[in-house]
Amino acid sequence: MLKILKLLKPKEWRQVFAVFILAVTQVWIDLKFPDYLATITRLVQTPGSRIGDIWMAGVYMLICALSSLACVIVISFLASRTSAALAARLRSMIFTKVGSFSMEETGRFSTASLITRSTNDVTQVQTFFMAGLQMLLKVPILAIGGILKIAGKGYEWTLATASALGFMLLVVACAMWVVLPIFSRMQSLVDNLNLAVRESLTGRFVIRAYNAEGFQTGKFSRANEGFTQADQRTNRAMAAMGPAMSIASNGLVLAIYIIGASMIIKAGPPSALLPFSNMVVMSSYAAQVMTAVKFITKVLPRWPRASVSAKRINEVLDTDPALSDGLLSEGISGVRGEVLFQNVSFRYPGAAANVLEDISFTARQGETVAFVGSTGSGKTTLINLVLRFYEATQGQVMVDGVDVRNYNRKSLYNKIGYVPQKAALFKGTVASNVAFGDNGRGRYSAVDVEKAVKTAQGKDFVEELEGGYQAAVSQGGATFSGGQKQRLSIARAICRKPEILIFDDAFSALDYKTDRELRNALRNEAAGATRLIVAQRIGAIMDADRIIVLDEGRIAGQGTHKELLQTCRVYREIAMSQLSEEELVS
Ligand code: ADP
């Protein structure tokens, strides 16, 4: 929590200081209030008092009450302002940090947990901070001030107040002992709940089509029940505190009156006036002390949950991305669009064996290099190493003669146009999805967008949309077919005019005709760019300059289609399973 407080800016520290000053002022005013009450009691009881004096004391009491109210309003305003600013800063810091995470860190935290951390956890910290500013600064001063005032008026009252306070603290300690462990688990239970909701929402159609609602509902119910039980247990413990607090504070008032009554009887008239007015004042102080403690019991129980949340937020903020940024922004001069793998092996973090083993090849400027192999042979993993989503365990991955680790990420990605397996579209328009991000060479023009869409064979369907290039795209592109999404995703990569185009099984949703037309258009329009293509269909990569055949993470052969048919058994088997006799010999 302290670490999070360090994020406050000087202006916000000034606001915290102002809250402190106001809190002290309010306590001073609140403790003045019973003094005027005592004056009124004394004046009323004293024969010959002037009504004007009683009115005057009444006016002072009203001023005290109004000033105290004004302090409360300003304190609340400043507290909510400061805590909202802190929460906004935390959210944006988490957002930026998560943006810098590689696949490894994202996988380690899990998406559901990262969402909880940037929303619910921040809210927990914000709520505690706000309540803390409003109460925690003021309450101890009020409690100590009240006790000191009471202590000066006789040991019986002091003893009664100390006993009531002791009882209250004991109740709070017991409740904390029950809720602390539960609160520490609470946020991971929210994670589970988020995970269950996310999974059910993203997979809702599959769930429906497989009549798996019961199974998924079971998963959700377990997560929901786990959270509800924890919530109920903490609420029960907190609820039990309420009556105990009332017993203590009402008991104290009763004790003050009993002690006062015995003092009045002992003193007898006319000297009974002093103990009587003292009694009235004491009960007022006691009420203030008890209210103060009650407030503490409202804020303190939030502490464990807020502190767990703060820890979870810090975990994200303190995570240094495993893949550090390099310094270089350019490759070796004169080398453009070259991708070189030098004895590269790769193992996923925590995995038992290498997924890629001793991979070496070169893709030169303008060449088309294709990767084929059975599912799970490591094609996507290999592509991810060029994109530096992961780092090679052994060997070097070079782009334009420089190890990808030495590039600063922006410069590396300025060289690359990447089309993933699963097309990702973003909320906006067709144009904003194609002219997405920047390539370090200024904004994309409308002509760039139209040209890219045309090359990606998307012109016809885009121009038929209502609004054309300005047609709305919903989150994830829900209103587009798989093939349309893929073509927009390809257009986005072409629009970057990159040195290297990477297609990770990006033509799989296209029909054969569109696939062929797109490859022809690419050959003409993106001739200068090196193309790395992962494909399942041999027909789609037959004309590549080089085909690399992967088998269980190793290169089983590399060469042209014709060469591989002669030399590589794995390739021949794949080709024979897809092409007719005539296609094979042609
Ligand atoms: P392909 O693209 O050829 O189908 P992949 O590169 O996706 O193959 O996967 C190669 C192997 O790596 C598979 O055995 C897969 O189970 C494993 N793998 C893929 N992603 C991960 C990951 N994030 N963590 C651990 N293993 C993974």
Side-chain angles (χ1 to χ4, degrees), residues 223-355:
N224 197 12
E225 207 147 289
F227 180 76
T228 311
Q229 270 177 10
D231 207 21
Q232 279 175 346
R233 239 180 276 162
T234 53
N235 283 341
R236 271 199 295 268
M238 295 318 207
M241 255 185 355
M245 293 293 155
S246 296
I247 290 174
S249 58
N250 292 335
L252 178 61
V253 174
L254 190 67
I256 285 174
Y257 280 119
I258 291 173
I259 295 166
S262 77
M263 282 180 176
I264 291 167
I265 292 166
K266 219 196 275 168
S271 12
L273 185 56
L274 184 65
F276 179 73
S277 87
N278 272 351
M279 185 179 76
V280 173
V281 176
M282 279 312 108
S283 60
S284 179
Y285 284 142
Q288 277 178 358
V289 173
M290 290 299 137
T291 317
V293 178
K294 267 195 220 162
F295 277 142
I296 287 208
T297 61
K298 287 211 178 345
V299 179
L300 264 194
R302 292 176 202 263
W303 162 252
R305 196 165 173 192
S307 122
V308 170
S309 288
K311 213 162 114 196
R312 284 160 52 95
I313 293 170
N314 282 330
E315 270 169 15
V316 176
L317 296 181
D318 291 346
T319 300
D320 285 324
L323 313 184
S324 56
D325 227 6
L327 295 173
L328 297 181
S329 55
E330 265 312 324
I332 291 177
S333 75
V335 184
R336 281 278 166 279
E338 185 184 281
V339 178
L340 170 75
F341 271 56
Q342 217 167 40
N343 307 105
V344 171
S345 297
F346 175 74
R347 177 181 303 203
Y348 278 103
N354 282 353
V355 172

Side-chain angles (χ1 to χ4, degrees), residues 324-331 388 391 396-399 401-409 411-412:
S324 56
D325 227 6
L327 295 173
L328 297 181
S329 55
E330 265 312 324
R388 232 193 140 205
E391 217 158 67
Q396 278 189 309
V397 178
M398 321 261 267
V399 167
V402 168
D403 193 314
V404 285
R405 281 174 279 221
N406 297 335
Y407 278 108
N408 74 51
R409 219 162 295 159
S411 308
L412 176 67

Side-chain angles (χ1 to χ4, degrees), residues 348 355 374-381 390 421:
Y348 278 103
V355 172
S374 54
T375 329
S377 55
K379 304 181 295 289
T380 298
T381 308
Y390 291 100
Q421 254 172 18

